[in-house]
């Protein structure tokens, strides 16, 4: 992988962790009218956690960052399949696993950046098919 790819993946990981670390009101505000499926969030974060292994090997993440990302990946893996069904906004308020993940994401950002309070990523606009 090239340097620019590593930088992009690190940035995407940090942005997604900022979203996971935000309080539930901030997460719900970020979601707005978007209907983001819980399974899609889980899959994206699990992918970022797996990719972080290679990033750590190349020095993009520190070993303590990798430990925190592994912990997040493990906690996501513990989310029951039935709790992955439906909208993430509903899961945020109903499933206590997201409180654990929020805490782990905050620890990751605190270790990696010195403060867990980070700007949330810009929301991706829903695809409308128009150009």
């Amino acid at each position: 992988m090239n340097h620019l790819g590593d930088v992009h993946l690190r940035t995407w990981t940090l942005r997604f962790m900022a979203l996971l670390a935000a309080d539930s009101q901030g997460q719900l505000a970020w979601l707005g009218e978007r209907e983001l499926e819980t399974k899609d969030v889980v899959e994206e974060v699990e992918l970022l956690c797996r990719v972080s292994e290679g990033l750590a090997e190349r020095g993009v993440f520190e070993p303590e960052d990798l430990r925190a990302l592994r912990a997040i990946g493990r906690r996501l893996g513990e989310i029951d399949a039935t709790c992955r069904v439906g909208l993430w906004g509903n899961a945020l308020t109903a499933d206590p696993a997201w409180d654990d993940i929020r805490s782990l994401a905050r620890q990751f950002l605190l270790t990696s950046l010195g403060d867990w309070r980070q700007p949330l990523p810009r929301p991706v606009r829903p695809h409308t098919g128009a150009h």
Side-chain angles (χ1 to χ4, degrees):
M1 186 171 289
N2 64 33
H3 176 71
L4 287 176
D6 285 356
V7 170
H8 174 76
L9 287 170
R10 181 180 190 279
T11 299
W12 181 237
T13 301
L14 292 171
R15 287 180 179 162
F16 219 102
M17 290 302 130
L19 178 59
L20 293 177
D23 59 38
S24 58
Q25 295 88 352
Q27 292 167 328
L28 292 171
W30 181 87
L31 280 169
E33 299 298 316
R34 276 176 230 76
E35 295 185 347
L36 188 58
E37 294 288 326
T38 303
K39 70 174 181 56
D40 295 336
V41 173
V42 170
E43 289 170 2
E44 185 74 20
V45 178
E46 285 178 330
L47 175 64
L48 290 172
C49 290
R50 285 192 305 273
V51 168
S52 68
E53 297 282 337
L55 293 174
E57 289 173 9
R58 292 188 295 282
V60 177
F61 283 119
E62 297 297 322
E64 55 273 7
D65 298 332
L66 186 56
R67 281 190 290 278
L69 289 167
R70 285 177 178 156
I72 291 167
R74 279 191 303 275
R75 185 61 184 103
L76 283 167
E78 295 169 359
I79 295 177
D80 185 274
T82 59
C83 293
R84 294 179 184 216
V85 175
L87 298 178
W88 189 46
N90 296 335
L92 285 170
T93 57
D95 187 349
W98 293 102
D99 293 332
D100 297 341
I101 293 164
R102 183 176 299 109
S103 177
L104 292 167
R106 287 178 179 183
Q107 185 57 49
F108 165 77
L109 290 170
L110 188 61
T111 301
S112 185
L113 300 177
D115 190 353
W116 68 266
R117 292 170 201 85
Q118 300 295 318
L120 297 184
R122 286 191 313 265
V124 176
R125 295 192 178 149
H127 180 68
T128 61
H131 294 281

